[in-house]
Amino acid sequence: MRGLQLPLTQTQRVRLQRALEKLESLSAKANSDASVIIADSIPVNYEDAFLKGHGTTDLNGELVATVCGVVERVNKLVYVRSLRAKYKPEVGDIVIGRVVEVAPKRWRLEINFSQDAILMLSSMNMPDGIQRRRTALDELNMRTVFEENDVVCAEVRNFQNDGSLQLQARSQKYGKLEKGQLLTIDPYLVKRSKQHFHHLEKYGIDLILGRNGFIWIGEHVEARDSMIKDQVINSEQATSLQGQEQEQSYTPLETRQNICRIANAIRVLSTLGFRVDAEVIMETVSLSISLNIDIHEMLGSEFHVLVAEREAERRSLSKRKR
């Protein structure tokens, strides 16, 4: 059962197995040749020309998978997208990373990629919000913007010739993330969508779904326009004022509980191997609240079984409506 390591009772094991079998049957009917394992034959039309992509090989005149994953087809290209693997970036992806080094004119971020990503000083908004050339003073004050272990949200800008990745953070919605939790899940569970930034107004929470498998759940922060700030205040005074604001501000208990509840909902979905998006997360949170399940009890075996049963029922109902 997906290699789940949960302390299940016999009844819970049977219920979970039924739910997973129902989900597998629904997905199999939807696309029978989507999932493959090593040495599986991939059905293609040999009369039409096609290109062999990653994870495929030609064996005895048949196209065979060399990795476990999902078959993808882009025009004539046929390839297998492996699931439990490192993140494979694409230009425009929203990612979340942790600063590992402050280097001259750049920060290095760990983003669950084979290499550290680079965020150039020239590729982000400055604290004063003015579009200008970066000076030597800006370079000296880099640690006042980001320092080691800071969590940062950015966008994939491009790839360098050596395979390294460059990021950019030229909008107010990008930047340093504070007062929240950072979760790590398998990147294939986060699908590309039009919206990766979500404000859950009911709970006062900001949810950011990084395509690299890093998910941020934090207290809602209003996007502030830095242009409104008084230009007379120098950088040292601004830094001291921000420090005082951080000391005075605190996260209410209710908000912290909401952060933990949403984080546990994501952990349950990740453990079960379900797709993670804002709609499914909110349904899981609502299920826990409707059943009066405490935050710490959400990680128990019973709630995992309930979520699997609810997901099987939801997919079955959506299929009937079609």
Side-chain angles (χ1 to χ4, degrees):
M1 290 185 287
R2 294 182 182 268
L4 296 179
Q5 296 180 352
L6 294 171
L8 299 168
T9 64
Q10 185 62 30
T11 304
Q12 290 173 341
R13 188 178 300 277
V14 172
R15 289 167 55 200
L16 181 59
Q17 189 164 4
R18 285 178 180 172
L20 295 180
E21 287 176 353
K22 186 175 182 180
L23 288 168
E24 288 175 1
S25 65
L26 291 171
S27 62
K29 292 176 183 177
N31 194 348
S32 59
D33 64 337
S35 301
V36 292
I37 61 175
I38 297 174
D40 273 0
S41 177
I42 301 175
V44 292
N45 188 354
Y46 291 94
E47 296 180 358
D48 297 334
F50 65 90
L51 299 174
K52 293 181 296 183
H54 172 75
T56 65
T57 187
D58 192 357
L59 181 64
N60 298 329
E62 288 189 351
L63 190 64
V64 175
T66 58
V67 296
C68 298
V70 178
V71 178
E72 299 282 359
R73 304 171 192 269
V74 181
N75 296 329
K76 294 182 179 181
L77 177 65
V78 180
Y79 68 97
V80 179
R81 175 172 54 85
S82 56
L83 298 182
R84 300 184 183 276
K86 282 282 188 179
Y87 166 61
K88 295 181 181 179
E90 297 179 15
V91 175
D93 279 356
I94 305 299
V95 298
I96 299 171
R98 189 180 292 275
V99 178
V100 295
E101 181 186 359
V102 182
K105 296 184 180 180
R106 70 193 65 192
W107 293 270
R108 292 189 179 275
L109 280 70
E110 200 282 310
I111 62 165
N112 196 24
F113 184 46
S114 56
Q115 301 183 44
D116 290 337
I118 296 173
L119 176 60
M120 299 296 296
L121 178 62
S122 58
S123 298
M124 63 162 295
N125 276 344
M126 298 305 295
D128 56 15
I130 301 175
Q131 296 296 328
R132 56 178 173 79
R133 292 176 63 89
R134 307 303 185 254
T135 63
L137 182 61
D138 293 327
E139 188 174 350
L140 290 174
N141 292 332
M142 283 178 62
R143 287 186 181 275
T144 63
V145 182
F146 303 135
E147 58 183 2
E148 287 84 353
N149 293 322
D150 279 352
V151 179
V152 178
C153 178
E155 179 183 341
V156 176
R157 181 182 180 183
N158 56 33
F159 292 90
Q160 299 299 309
N161 294 331
D162 60 355
S164 61
L165 191 67
Q166 277 207 350
L167 307 177
Q168 63 179 1
R170 295 185 178 276
S171 171
Q172 293 291 335
K173 63 183 179 181
Y174 303 125
K176 185 176 179 180
L177 302 175
E178 297 178 297
K179 298 182 180 179
Q181 279 192 39
L182 178 66
L183 298 184
T184 303
I185 65 175
D186 291 320
Y188 78 92
L189 296 176
V190 183
K191 304 298 182 184
R192 177 190 284 269
S193 64
K194 295 181 179 179
Q195 184 62 262
H196 285 265
F197 295 85
H198 302 277
H199 174 208
L200 310 180
E201 297 184 11
K202 182 178 179 181
Y203 303 102
I205 299 297
D206 284 337
L207 174 67
I208 305 176
L209 303 175
R211 286 279 287 120
N212 58 334
F214 288 1
I215 297 181
W216 176 260
I217 312 105
E219 182 180 3
H220 175 62
V221 178
E222 294 289 345
R224 293 174 294 181
D225 190 352
S226 300
M227 297 293 289
I228 299 176
K229 293 183 179 178
D230 189 359
Q231 302 297 330
V232 180
I233 302 177
N234 58 37
S235 60
E236 293 182 359
Q237 291 176 338
T239 303
S240 63
L241 287 172
Q242 289 175 1
Q244 292 176 3
E245 289 178 359
Q246 290 177 358
E247 291 177 359
Q248 294 174 358
S249 63
Y250 66 95
T251 304
L253 176 61
E254 183 180 0
T255 303
R256 282 181 278 158
Q257 290 174 339
N258 291 335
I259 291 173
C260 292
R261 185 175 290 277
I262 294 170
N264 282 351
I266 296 172
R267 290 187 178 100
V268 172
L269 294 171
S270 175
T271 301
L272 294 170
F274 292 163
R275 173 176 53 88
V276 175
D277 60 26
E279 181 182 357
V280 177
I281 292 170
M282 293 309 300
E283 288 180 359
T284 307
V285 171
S286 299
L287 178 65
S288 68
I289 294 175
S290 64
L291 298 176
N292 294 323
I293 296 176
D294 291 335
I295 296 173
H296 66 279
E297 293 177 345
M298 293 175 65
L299 300 179
S301 303
E302 179 62 23
F303 190 66
H304 281 78
V305 176
L306 291 171
V307 171
E309 291 176 337
R310 186 223 51 182
E311 182 67 12
E313 183 180 357
R314 186 180 70 86
R315 293 188 189 182
S316 178
L317 289 173
S318 64
K319 187 176 181 181
R320 290 175 187 172
K321 289 180 181 179
R322 293 176 186 175

